Amino acid sequence: MHFNKYIYSSLLLLLLPLAALAAENDAAVHQDTVSNFCFDCHNAIDWEGQLALDLLDVSDVGPDAETWERVVNKLRGSMMPPPGQPRPNQETYFELVSFLEDELDEAAMQHPNPGRPGLYRLNRNQYAAVIRDLLGMDIDMAAILPPDTTSYGFDNIADVMNVSPTLLEGYLAAADRVSAIAVGDPEFPPEEANYTVSSMLSQDKHIDGFPLGTRGGISADHNFPLDGIYEINTHFLVNSLEVVKGLQFPHQFEVSIDGKRVHTATIGGIADYTLMLENGAASTESVENRAKVRIAVPAGVHNVTVTFLEKTQAYEVDQLQPFDKNNFDPVYVGGIPSPARVNIRGPFNSRAPSQLTKSREAIFSCYPDQVSQEQACAEEIISSLARKAYRRPVDDTEVGVLMDFYLEGRESKGTFDGGIQMALRRMLMSPNFLFRIERDHPDVAPGESFAINDLELASRLSFFLWSSIPDEELITLAANGQLSDPQVLERQVNRMLADDRANSIVENFAGQWLQLRNLDGATPDEIAFPNFDDNLRRAFVTETSMFFETIMREDKSVMELMTADYTYVNERLARHYDIPGVYGDHFRYVELNDPARGGLLGQGSILTVTSFAHRTSPVLRGKFVLDNILGTRASDPPDNVPALEENDAASLDQEALRQRLARHRADPACSSCHNIMDPIGLAMEKFDAVGRWRDLDEGGLPIDSSGELANGTPIDGPTDLKNALTAQPELFVNTFANRMLTYAIGRGLEYYDMPTVRAIVDNTADDGYRFSAIVQEIVKSAPFLMKQAAGGEGQIAANISQ
């Protein structure tokens, strides 16, 4: 045994110098590669890209980790050396990249830095989700709170979540409104809410989710605050003469609440048509008066749907008359009456809720039968709600503050419910509710790293996966100090991913990463794309959302986001994609025969948000791929370089566009980025500006989608592009992990976070890059579990005061 130890020690002493010598030789070889291919531009004199690599040492990357991470990012995306410049062979190229990454990762292990996020504040989407989970209420926060600032592609970045007077007023208004509705304040005043649809929505067919046998309409889940009388007014789309279309013929209109028909009316016919000819405005008023309904509705959330009964598409006899230009009907040109807006007013003659609403059920865990029981019951209710709202156990002092407000409300309103309402209002304005405060440990020196406590971890976890508060199981585990146990944490992540609340990842993470939220603002030119309507816009969002949700729910490899040979379509979208055999408005899984259509880059949502209104944009599409697929962000153009006149309606043919792009690339200030972006975007040119396949461009010329990527790979069309982008799966997975880690920790990633991203990719490779594996690795990472202590005292106070 001793002899074996002696041999081992002797061999180790011999091998260590050899290993060190090999490492030195590797560093020398890679230093030569950098010298030969990078120093001509990136030196202390030319300082191209504000980078002087001749002043750095490849064998000691730690002190200049930030700069070397920039180098690695460009090399991984094959952005350097620029196209047309000499390059090392592929083996040498990737050996250099691997060497730099290994050295950077080793240096990071010696000096770990989990970063320090700013003070977290509930953003608008999170606030709505928290109210839903805390009080069982759905509330439209867009009408109360201003939009949140976006940074690094997301609206939950702590460093930019400042507090303005306008925001504070919004929070106060939200607390007042939410507490009154939740409790059922009988003094709640009448109000009105409007639910609209786009004028671009085609309402000639059934809409998914509406009652069978209907066409078009508006459906909304409305929160009726009290029992009372409510007025439901429907306003219809009008034409240029301000009259409702299609009044020549009768149409059956209906209003339903929770699926039960409560009102019907005949819209159109001889009487309406005659009145329209005599007085257009009067006919519109008459129609809308007939559609109006006043009805008693109990408190709570109820679905209100206004729609028309579906009629046969066959023409009626009166519609089959020959066209007479002397008797042209300006009202009916294939038109049908369609709801444009529903206005709900009330309550009138209101009274406190007579039945248990979801919000009252969530609040009143007890209810006193007599005055002597009120104090104890109030403390039970307030303690329970505060534990959920503050996301941790609460102490007697905190409960006491809320009880003071209860007593004040009990006295001023004269009821037990009024006291609870006032305490709830104070709770919703508390910094403990609005902010997620992660305090530094008193025994940790400034700048040092430490693990956040279990309760802070529970909040990080729930806002990452649910965009909302932790549930009771999570709080209990955290309060008992068990959540940070690796096995417990892994089980909780799996449980939370299986929960319906994890759909917030689709809406808030994928919706921002893939720019789905921008689709609302996309307005394709109605002359260039006359078939684009709001139905197609909605279908785009639904397709990509269902596609991403499938990857998450079925725990597939995230690489399928790029390579999938399936998608989800309804009849409207299938027609747009030229997919046969799909009928009806409901979405279903379909296998794709065209490989160009598979994956994110073949979906109408991505293709539309990366286009101009009247034409495609190779630059926007190329930049999207660089930023969101390859993760190698293109530099901003210099201030003194004129913008590319790409968005020019005067010249739509592709030959002219290619020539303009070529001229732009000829400018040395533009070529470094456009030589990389343009071939990517041009490869996607056979998808038009709304994602439909085409072989001819806007000018009627054949489309040339050929090109060469920055690494010399020839491509021709979207299929070749997709194959090239996925040839090294770790590139896309790295970008996915980078974006998801940014979203998870609520701060932009810095150079010192890149080793963590690479570790996430490496640790999930053997598992095929499954969705849950990446989430688990993010949750286990140092940036998620730890933070860096403030550099000086008063950091938290300074953040709060901003």
Side-chain angles (χ1 to χ4, degrees):
M1 186 71 176
H2 293 292
F3 178 72
N4 289 340
K5 287 184 177 180
Y6 172 76
I7 293 176
Y8 176 78
S9 301
S10 301
L11 288 173
L12 191 63
L13 290 173
L14 290 171
L15 291 174
L16 283 175
L18 292 176
L21 181 61
E24 290 179 9
N25 290 336
D26 285 346
V29 170
H30 296 309
Q31 183 70 59
D32 289 342
T33 301
V34 173
S35 301
N36 293 333
F37 295 96
C38 305
F39 280 8
D40 282 352
C41 298
H42 302 295
N43 56 69
I45 298 175
D46 296 316
W47 206 43
E48 185 73 24
Q50 300 181 344
L51 191 63
L53 294 180
D54 58 334
L55 302 180
L56 306 183
D57 184 0
V58 172
S59 64
D60 186 20
V61 300
D64 303 293
E66 184 172 6
T67 300
W68 285 115
E69 286 290 358
R70 286 178 57 199
V71 172
V72 166
N73 181 263
K74 296 294 185 181
L75 293 178
R76 270 297 181 196
S78 297
M79 297 181 71
M80 290 291 162
Q85 297 298 316
R87 279 176 170 252
N89 62 59
Q90 280 210 334
E91 182 179 359
T92 302
Y93 190 95
F94 288 115
E95 283 179 354
L96 171 62
V97 176
S98 296
F99 173 83
L100 290 174
E101 288 179 340
D102 290 344
E103 292 295 304
L104 287 165
D105 294 347
E106 181 65 29
M109 291 179 63
Q110 303 301 322
H111 304 283
N113 182 359
R116 180 179 177 82
L119 181 68
Y120 296 108
R121 170 180 61 76
L122 295 185
N123 67 21
R124 197 161 66 177
N125 288 322
Q126 291 170 345
Y127 193 106
V130 169
I131 295 301
R132 176 201 66 205
D133 294 339
L134 178 67
L135 300 173
M137 290 174 54
D138 289 315
I139 188 165
D140 179 17
M141 296 309 302
I144 304 175
L145 298 180
D148 295 294
T149 302
T150 298
S151 181
Y152 295 94
F154 298 104
D155 61 7
N156 66 337
I157 304 302
D159 286 337
V160 298
M161 301 183 81
N162 298 322
V163 180
S164 65
T166 301
L167 182 65
L168 287 177
E169 290 177 4
Y171 277 142
L172 183 59
D176 189 34
R177 174 177 172 77
V178 168
S179 59
I181 295 177
V183 171
D185 182 0
E187 298 176 358
F188 193 86
E191 60 176 11
E192 62 179 77
N194 289 295
Y195 301 95
T196 62
V197 294
S198 169
S199 60
M200 294 180 66
L201 178 71
S202 298
Q203 299 193 45
D204 58 331
K205 293 185 178 180
H206 179 258
I207 297 177
D208 194 22
F210 280 55
L212 294 176
T214 64
R215 66 147 183 92
I218 301 174
S219 183
D221 291 326
H222 182 73
N223 199 328
F224 294 83
L226 297 169
D227 291 1
I229 303 297
Y230 292 86
E231 188 176 279
I232 302 173
N233 301 291
T234 303
H235 302 273
F236 297 94
L237 286 171
V238 296
N239 64 8
S240 59
L241 301 178
E242 298 297 318
V243 298
V244 179
K245 296 180 180 180
L247 292 184
Q248 298 93 324
F249 311 104
H251 304 268
Q252 290 302 118
F253 171 79
E254 74 165 40
V255 179
S256 63
I257 297 179
D258 293 337
K260 181 180 179 181
R261 183 181 296 169
V262 298
H263 179 68
T264 60
T266 299
I267 304 297
I270 297 298
D272 285 335
Y273 182 63
T274 302
L275 181 60
M276 179 273 299
L277 293 175
E278 296 174 352
N279 189 330
S283 69
T284 300
E285 182 180 355
S286 173
V287 165
E288 293 185 346
N289 282 338
R290 232 172 303 144
K292 181 187 302 183
V293 57
R294 286 176 63 91
I295 187 172
V297 183
V301 177
H302 300 284
N303 177 266
V304 177
T305 298
V306 300
T307 184
F308 281 91
L309 298 185
E310 193 167 21
K311 298 172 60 177
T312 176
Q313 295 294 314
Y315 284 108
E316 298 183 20
V317 175
D318 291 343
Q319 293 173 273
L320 299 176
Q321 302 302 314
F323 174 71
D324 181 359
K325 67 178 182 180
N326 296 320
N327 191 27
F328 177 63
D329 182 355
V331 180
Y332 182 83
V333 186
I336 52 176
S338 302
R341 175 169 59 95
V342 172
N343 171 270
I344 302 177
R345 300 176 62 231
F348 306 104
N349 302 327
S350 59
R351 58 190 180 279
S354 58
Q355 60 187 31
L356 192 62
T357 62
K358 287 185 178 180
S359 58
R360 286 183 65 85
E361 184 178 7
I363 294 171
F364 293 103
S365 55
C366 61
Y367 204 86
D369 293 326
Q370 49 192 13
V371 175
S372 61
Q373 299 173 342
E374 290 186 356
Q375 182 82 5
C377 183
E379 289 184 358
E380 177 185 325
I381 291 171
I382 289 170
S383 298
S384 175
L385 286 176
R387 175 184 172 92
K388 298 173 185 175
Y390 297 170
R391 305 172 285 278
R392 57 173 172 77
V394 290
D395 57 35
D396 292 341
T397 301
E398 291 171 316
V399 174
V401 170
L402 296 173
M403 283 298 297
D404 288 342
F405 279 84
Y406 159 78
L407 293 173
E408 180 182 336
R410 176 67 178 86
E411 181 178 353
S412 62
K413 288 183 171 292
T415 64
F416 176 77
D417 290 12
I420 296 298
Q421 177 184 339
M422 189 62 70
L424 177 59
R425 182 185 181 193
R426 170 62 177 84
M427 192 184 302
L428 298 180
M429 280 302 296
S430 169
N432 293 306
F433 172 74
L434 296 174
F435 297 94
R436 290 160 49 201
I437 302 171
E438 297 177 349
R439 303 187 184 279
D440 286 354
H441 292 186
D443 55 346
V444 175
E448 288 191 1
S449 301
F450 64 94
I452 60 175
N453 66 46
D454 279 35
L455 288 165
E456 293 165 347
L457 175 58
S459 284
R460 279 198 182 188
L461 193 59
S462 66
F463 280 96
F464 168 30
L465 299 180
W466 290 347
S467 294
S468 186
I469 52 177
D471 61 6
E472 183 55 37
E473 181 174 338
L474 212 55
I475 293 177
T476 300
L477 287 170
N480 294 333
Q482 297 174 295
L483 184 58
S484 54
D485 179 275
Q487 293 182 337
V488 173
L489 186 58
E490 181 176 347
R491 286 196 298 269
Q492 287 300 307
V493 170
N494 288 334
R495 177 183 73 88
M496 295 175 73
L497 282 174
D499 193 283
D500 288 343
R501 284 169 284 188
N503 282 339
S504 66
I505 297 175
V506 179
E507 180 180 350
N508 297 328
F509 169 67
Q512 295 182 87
W513 169 45
L514 301 176
Q515 301 180 13
L516 299 184
R517 293 184 179 181
N518 295 353
L519 265 174
D520 280 344
T523 55
D525 185 84
E526 60 183 17
I527 296 176
F529 306 101
N531 292 325
F532 183 88
D533 56 15
D534 210 53
N535 308 66
L536 189 59
R537 188 199 313 274
R538 293 181 180 187
F540 283 163
V541 175
T542 301
E543 176 196 20
T544 304
S545 298
M546 290 183 69
F547 177 64
F548 187 92
E549 185 180 356
T550 295
I551 303 297
M552 179 181 75
R553 292 293 179 194
E554 298 182 13
D555 203 14
K556 295 175 178 285
S557 169
V558 298
M559 284 305 300
E560 284 199 24
L561 290 169
M562 294 292 295
T563 64
D565 59 357
Y566 60 88
T567 190
Y568 293 86
V569 297
N570 62 358
E571 182 179 353
R572 178 70 181 86
L573 187 56
R575 288 203 315 269
H576 189 70
Y577 288 168
D578 293 323
I579 298 174
V582 177
Y583 304 100
D585 53 294
H586 65 284
F587 279 77
R588 80 291 311 266
Y589 170 97
V590 295
E591 294 184 356
L592 298 168
N593 295 321
D594 181 6
R597 185 61 74 181
L600 291 172
L601 297 185
Q603 296 186 358
S605 58
I606 307 298
L607 296 164
T608 301
V609 298
T610 55
S611 297
F612 293 126
H614 67 287
R615 62 156 300 126
T616 58
S617 169
V619 173
L620 291 181
R621 287 178 174 177
K623 185 176 186 302
F624 177 90
V625 171
L626 283 184
D627 289 352
N628 297 290
I629 305 300
L630 294 176
T632 51
R633 183 179 180 276
S635 303
D636 294 327
D639 294 336
N640 60 344
V641 176
L644 170 66
E645 293 182 1
E646 185 191 12
N647 192 13
D648 181 4
S651 181
L652 296 177
D653 65 88
Q654 197 187 61
E655 183 178 355
L657 176 60
R658 274 185 171 267
Q659 290 172 354
R660 277 183 287 171
L661 289 171
R663 288 197 301 269
H664 212 64
R665 291 195 298 273
D667 189 328
C670 307
S671 61
S672 61
C673 289
H674 279 274
N675 279 335
I676 299 165
M677 289 191 299
D678 294 356
I680 294 174
L682 289 169
M684 303 168 71
E685 271 294 277
K686 288 197 173 181
F687 290 118
D688 70 12
V690 293
R692 188 160 192 172
W693 185 265
R694 60 183 182 164
D695 292 307
L696 303 178
D697 66 11
E698 291 88 348
L701 298 177
I703 291 174
D704 178 9
S705 58
S706 63
E708 186 177 282
L709 296 182
N711 62 4
T713 302
I715 55 173
D716 188 358
T719 302
D720 281 357
L721 174 63
K722 184 170 61 174
N723 292 338
L725 294 176
T726 57
Q728 295 176 267
E730 65 275 8
L731 292 182
F732 173 70
V733 180
N734 186 289
T735 303
F736 182 87
N738 182 303
R739 298 295 184 269
M740 182 165 272
L741 181 60
T742 300
Y743 175 79
I745 62 178
R747 67 169 175 83
L749 299 193
E750 303 292 345
Y751 71 92
Y752 47 78
D753 296 304
M754 295 305 109
T756 296
V757 174
R758 288 191 287 270
I760 292 170
V761 176
D762 292 343
N763 293 342
T764 56
D766 291 342
D767 212 2
Y769 305 120
R770 285 187 304 111
F771 187 93
S772 69
I774 292 176
V775 172
Q776 291 282 5
E777 287 297 321
I778 287 174
V779 171
K780 291 190 295 185
S781 69
F784 196 87
L785 296 174
M786 304 178 70
K787 66 181 293 187
Q788 191 179 66
E793 295 182 359
Q795 183 68 40
I796 292 179
N799 286 339
I800 293 178
S801 65
Q802 289 180 351

